[in-house]
Amino acid sequence: MITREAVIKFFSESRVLQHVLFWCVFLVLDFPKDSLIYQEEFSFLGTFVMSMCHMIPKIIISYFIAYYVIPKFLLKKKYIITVVLFLIGTYLLAAFNRVLVVHVGETLIRKGVFTQEPLLEILTDWKKLLFGYIPNMYLTTLVFLSVKYFLDYKRVKEKELVFEKEKTEAELKTLKAQLNPHFLFNTLNNIYSLSLSNSPKTPTSIGKLSEMLDYVLYRCNTK
């Protein structure tokens, strides 16, 4: 039987599934907004096509910023290259978004004769790109970055906890290896002294030593 814990563990250990799930959720959340924009022009299928035209550039810019610009340039304090790549990437992907909408999405779903913006006009109409595409594109990117770095931080903390636990266990084993022979040697000498004097405490001391060794060797390793 598949339990809820097993499902959570499966998704938490598969980074590919985590990314697929994130973008599926975002597509579902974006769809109602796109429906309001395109409902008068397109059917459900047409609205879905337009949503995908907007989603693809969002995915590209999110991975471009998260896995290329930030680790390779920003974190290495190469600020000028970071700014240049950020501006160029933003402009090109905003234009790519518009191209997908006009020349792919509308071509697939519009019927009859209609006019389309030429590629040069799309590339030079910076106001439409700046106010119509970039804000929506980067809103998604900010959410993606927030989720990514939260999960990365969580993974780092979990690794630190595992490392500290393993370190503590290793130190404890080392301490046992150092102390047990010394303790055993002294205790046996004491019991030997008791036996020489025929002390009545000898059997009791042997029994207590046996219990302590049983605990150290076996019982202390279990909960």
Side-chain angles (χ1 to χ4, degrees), residues 109-125:
I109 59 182
R110 282 190 183 277
K111 297 180 180 180
V113 180
F114 59 92
T115 58
Q116 292 176 303
E117 298 174 49
L119 183 60
L120 182 61
E121 183 179 339
I122 292 175
L123 293 174
T124 55
D125 192 356

PDB file of all heavy atoms in Angstrom, residues 109-125:
ATOM      1  N   ILE A 109      -4.280  29.138 -33.689  1.00  0.00           N
ATOM      2  CA  ILE A 109      -5.659  29.163 -33.193  1.00  0.00           C
ATOM      3  C   ILE A 109      -6.562  30.185 -33.884  1.00  0.00           C
ATOM      4  O   ILE A 109      -7.784  30.049 -33.837  1.00  0.00           O
ATOM      5  CB  ILE A 109      -5.687  29.419 -31.671  1.00  0.00           C
ATOM      6  CG1 ILE A 109      -5.010  30.739 -31.342  1.00  0.00           C
ATOM      7  CG2 ILE A 109      -5.014  28.280 -30.932  1.00  0.00           C
ATOM      8  CD1 ILE A 109      -4.951  31.038 -29.855  1.00  0.00           C
ATOM      9  N   ARG A 110      -5.987  31.191 -34.513  1.00  0.00           N
ATOM     10  CA  ARG A 110      -6.844  32.157 -35.210  1.00  0.00           C
ATOM     11  C   ARG A 110      -7.343  31.574 -36.535  1.00  0.00           C
ATOM     12  O   ARG A 110      -6.646  30.827 -37.203  1.00  0.00           O
ATOM     13  CB  ARG A 110      -6.083  33.458 -35.478  1.00  0.00           C
ATOM     14  CG  ARG A 110      -5.971  34.356 -34.255  1.00  0.00           C
ATOM     15  CD  ARG A 110      -5.417  35.721 -34.657  1.00  0.00           C
ATOM     16  NE  ARG A 110      -5.220  36.582 -33.530  1.00  0.00           N
ATOM     17  CZ  ARG A 110      -6.175  37.325 -32.966  1.00  0.00           C
ATOM     18  NH1 ARG A 110      -7.404  37.298 -33.468  1.00  0.00           N
ATOM     19  NH2 ARG A 110      -5.902  38.089 -31.934  1.00  0.00           N
ATOM     20  N   LYS A 111      -8.532  31.950 -36.902  1.00  0.00           N
ATOM     21  CA  LYS A 111      -9.117  31.513 -38.173  1.00  0.00           C
ATOM     22  C   LYS A 111      -9.340  32.718 -39.074  1.00  0.00           C
ATOM     23  O   LYS A 111      -9.568  33.828 -38.608  1.00  0.00           O
ATOM     24  CB  LYS A 111     -10.439  30.786 -37.934  1.00  0.00           C
ATOM     25  CG  LYS A 111     -10.305  29.504 -37.114  1.00  0.00           C
ATOM     26  CD  LYS A 111     -11.642  28.841 -36.906  1.00  0.00           C
ATOM     27  CE  LYS A 111     -11.502  27.556 -36.081  1.00  0.00           C
ATOM     28  NZ  LYS A 111     -12.811  26.886 -35.866  1.00  0.00           N
ATOM     29  N   GLY A 112      -9.282  32.478 -40.340  1.00  0.00           N
ATOM     30  CA  GLY A 112      -9.493  33.558 -41.284  1.00  0.00           C
ATOM     31  C   GLY A 112      -8.236  34.377 -41.511  1.00  0.00           C
ATOM     32  O   GLY A 112      -7.136  34.007 -41.110  1.00  0.00           O
ATOM     33  N   VAL A 113      -8.401  35.514 -42.123  1.00  0.00           N
ATOM     34  CA  VAL A 113      -7.278  36.397 -42.438  1.00  0.00           C
ATOM     35  C   VAL A 113      -7.072  37.367 -41.286  1.00  0.00           C
ATOM     36  O   VAL A 113      -8.012  37.978 -40.786  1.00  0.00           O
ATOM     37  CB  VAL A 113      -7.548  37.174 -43.748  1.00  0.00           C
ATOM     38  CG1 VAL A 113      -6.374  38.094 -44.060  1.00  0.00           C
ATOM     39  CG2 VAL A 113      -7.786  36.205 -44.901  1.00  0.00           C
ATOM     40  N   PHE A 114      -5.831  37.508 -40.844  1.00  0.00           N
ATOM     41  CA  PHE A 114      -5.509  38.467 -39.781  1.00  0.00           C
ATOM     42  C   PHE A 114      -4.066  38.935 -39.985  1.00  0.00           C
ATOM     43  O   PHE A 114      -3.269  38.270 -40.629  1.00  0.00           O
ATOM     44  CB  PHE A 114      -5.662  37.831 -38.400  1.00  0.00           C
ATOM     45  CG  PHE A 114      -4.797  36.619 -38.169  1.00  0.00           C
ATOM     46  CD1 PHE A 114      -3.533  36.729 -37.604  1.00  0.00           C
ATOM     47  CD2 PHE A 114      -5.242  35.339 -38.544  1.00  0.00           C
ATOM     48  CE1 PHE A 114      -2.747  35.615 -37.402  1.00  0.00           C
ATOM     49  CE2 PHE A 114      -4.451  34.229 -38.341  1.00  0.00           C
ATOM     50  CZ  PHE A 114      -3.205  34.359 -37.777  1.00  0.00           C
ATOM     51  N   THR A 115      -3.798  40.116 -39.474  1.00  0.00           N
ATOM     52  CA  THR A 115      -2.466  40.699 -39.626  1.00  0.00           C
ATOM     53  C   THR A 115      -1.586  40.330 -38.431  1.00  0.00           C
ATOM     54  O   THR A 115      -2.087  40.156 -37.318  1.00  0.00           O
ATOM     55  CB  THR A 115      -2.545  42.225 -39.736  1.00  0.00           C
ATOM     56  OG1 THR A 115      -3.183  42.755 -38.565  1.00  0.00           O
ATOM     57  CG2 THR A 115      -3.337  42.628 -40.967  1.00  0.00           C
ATOM     58  N   GLN A 116      -0.312  40.209 -38.669  1.00  0.00           N
ATOM     59  CA  GLN A 116       0.660  39.895 -37.626  1.00  0.00           C
ATOM     60  C   GLN A 116       1.793  40.906 -37.639  1.00  0.00           C
ATOM     61  O   GLN A 116       2.183  41.401 -38.697  1.00  0.00           O
ATOM     62  CB  GLN A 116       1.245  38.484 -37.835  1.00  0.00           C
ATOM     63  CG  GLN A 116       0.248  37.365 -37.618  1.00  0.00           C
ATOM     64  CD  GLN A 116       0.856  36.011 -37.924  1.00  0.00           C
ATOM     65  OE1 GLN A 116       1.331  35.783 -39.029  1.00  0.00           O
ATOM     66  NE2 GLN A 116       0.852  35.125 -36.944  1.00  0.00           N
ATOM     67  N   GLU A 117       2.298  41.217 -36.470  1.00  0.00           N
ATOM     68  CA  GLU A 117       3.428  42.136 -36.370  1.00  0.00           C
ATOM     69  C   GLU A 117       4.659  41.491 -36.990  1.00  0.00           C
ATOM     70  O   GLU A 117       4.968  40.327 -36.685  1.00  0.00           O
ATOM     71  CB  GLU A 117       3.737  42.467 -34.909  1.00  0.00           C
ATOM     72  CG  GLU A 117       2.617  43.173 -34.187  1.00  0.00           C
ATOM     73  CD  GLU A 117       2.942  43.323 -32.711  1.00  0.00           C
ATOM     74  OE1 GLU A 117       4.058  43.780 -32.396  1.00  0.00           O
ATOM     75  OE2 GLU A 117       2.092  42.970 -31.876  1.00  0.00           O
ATOM     76  N   PRO A 118       5.381  42.203 -37.825  1.00  0.00           N
ATOM     77  CA  PRO A 118       6.633  41.647 -38.351  1.00  0.00           C
ATOM     78  C   PRO A 118       7.679  41.543 -37.233  1.00  0.00           C
ATOM     79  O   PRO A 118       7.590  42.199 -36.195  1.00  0.00           O
ATOM     80  CB  PRO A 118       7.062  42.662 -39.409  1.00  0.00           C
ATOM     81  CG  PRO A 118       6.354  43.921 -39.056  1.00  0.00           C
ATOM     82  CD  PRO A 118       5.066  43.514 -38.401  1.00  0.00           C
ATOM     83  N   LEU A 119       8.675  40.710 -37.462  1.00  0.00           N
ATOM     84  CA  LEU A 119       9.692  40.447 -36.450  1.00  0.00           C
ATOM     85  C   LEU A 119      10.434  41.724 -36.049  1.00  0.00           C
ATOM     86  O   LEU A 119      10.703  41.943 -34.865  1.00  0.00           O
ATOM     87  CB  LEU A 119      10.692  39.407 -36.980  1.00  0.00           C
ATOM     88  CG  LEU A 119      11.785  38.958 -36.011  1.00  0.00           C
ATOM     89  CD1 LEU A 119      11.167  38.330 -34.757  1.00  0.00           C
ATOM     90  CD2 LEU A 119      12.720  37.978 -36.689  1.00  0.00           C
ATOM     91  N   LEU A 120      10.741  42.576 -37.003  1.00  0.00           N
ATOM     92  CA  LEU A 120      11.467  43.806 -36.700  1.00  0.00           C
ATOM     93  C   LEU A 120      10.657  44.714 -35.787  1.00  0.00           C
ATOM     94  O   LEU A 120      11.203  45.343 -34.866  1.00  0.00           O
ATOM     95  CB  LEU A 120      11.821  44.538 -38.003  1.00  0.00           C
ATOM     96  CG  LEU A 120      12.627  45.835 -37.828  1.00  0.00           C
ATOM     97  CD1 LEU A 120      13.967  45.542 -37.148  1.00  0.00           C
ATOM     98  CD2 LEU A 120      12.847  46.521 -39.180  1.00  0.00           C
ATOM     99  N   GLU A 121       9.369  44.789 -36.025  1.00  0.00           N
ATOM    100  CA  GLU A 121       8.510  45.620 -35.178  1.00  0.00           C
ATOM    101  C   GLU A 121       8.458  45.083 -33.751  1.00  0.00           C
ATOM    102  O   GLU A 121       8.462  45.845 -32.777  1.00  0.00           O
ATOM    103  CB  GLU A 121       7.098  45.674 -35.755  1.00  0.00           C
ATOM    104  CG  GLU A 121       6.158  46.578 -34.966  1.00  0.00           C
ATOM    105  CD  GLU A 121       4.769  46.637 -35.581  1.00  0.00           C
ATOM    106  OE1 GLU A 121       4.631  46.323 -36.770  1.00  0.00           O
ATOM    107  OE2 GLU A 121       3.815  47.004 -34.856  1.00  0.00           O
ATOM    108  N   ILE A 122       8.423  43.761 -33.618  1.00  0.00           N
ATOM    109  CA  ILE A 122       8.424  43.153 -32.278  1.00  0.00           C
ATOM    110  C   ILE A 122       9.715  43.483 -31.539  1.00  0.00           C
ATOM    111  O   ILE A 122       9.699  43.850 -30.358  1.00  0.00           O
ATOM    112  CB  ILE A 122       8.248  41.628 -32.386  1.00  0.00           C
ATOM    113  CG1 ILE A 122       6.846  41.294 -32.883  1.00  0.00           C
ATOM    114  CG2 ILE A 122       8.514  40.949 -31.038  1.00  0.00           C
ATOM    115  CD1 ILE A 122       6.619  39.821 -33.136  1.00  0.00           C
ATOM    116  N   LEU A 123      10.839  43.399 -32.242  1.00  0.00           N
ATOM    117  CA  LEU A 123      12.140  43.634 -31.612  1.00  0.00           C
ATOM    118  C   LEU A 123      12.352  45.088 -31.213  1.00  0.00           C
ATOM    119  O   LEU A 123      13.093  45.376 -30.266  1.00  0.00           O
ATOM    120  CB  LEU A 123      13.264  43.181 -32.547  1.00  0.00           C
ATOM    121  CG  LEU A 123      13.361  41.683 -32.827  1.00  0.00           C
ATOM    122  CD1 LEU A 123      14.428  41.391 -33.870  1.00  0.00           C
ATOM    123  CD2 LEU A 123      13.659  40.911 -31.542  1.00  0.00           C
ATOM    124  N   THR A 124      11.727  46.014 -31.924  1.00  0.00           N
ATOM    125  CA  THR A 124      11.945  47.439 -31.656  1.00  0.00           C
ATOM    126  C   THR A 124      10.862  48.063 -30.787  1.00  0.00           C
ATOM    127  O   THR A 124      11.042  49.183 -30.305  1.00  0.00           O
ATOM    128  CB  THR A 124      12.039  48.223 -32.978  1.00  0.00           C
ATOM    129  OG1 THR A 124      10.860  47.964 -33.774  1.00  0.00           O
ATOM    130  CG2 THR A 124      13.268  47.790 -33.761  1.00  0.00           C
ATOM    131  N   ASP A 125       9.765  47.377 -30.578  1.00  0.00           N
ATOM    132  CA  ASP A 125       8.687  47.930 -29.742  1.00  0.00           C
ATOM    133  C   ASP A 125       9.000  47.651 -28.270  1.00  0.00           C
ATOM    134  O   ASP A 125       8.386  46.808 -27.616  1.00  0.00           O
ATOM    135  CB  ASP A 125       7.350  47.302 -30.141  1.00  0.00           C
ATOM    136  CG  ASP A 125       6.165  48.030 -29.520  1.00  0.00           C
ATOM    137  OD1 ASP A 125       6.394  48.965 -28.723  1.00  0.00           O
ATOM    138  OD2 ASP A 125       5.020  47.654 -29.820  1.00  0.00           O
TER     139      ASP A 125
END
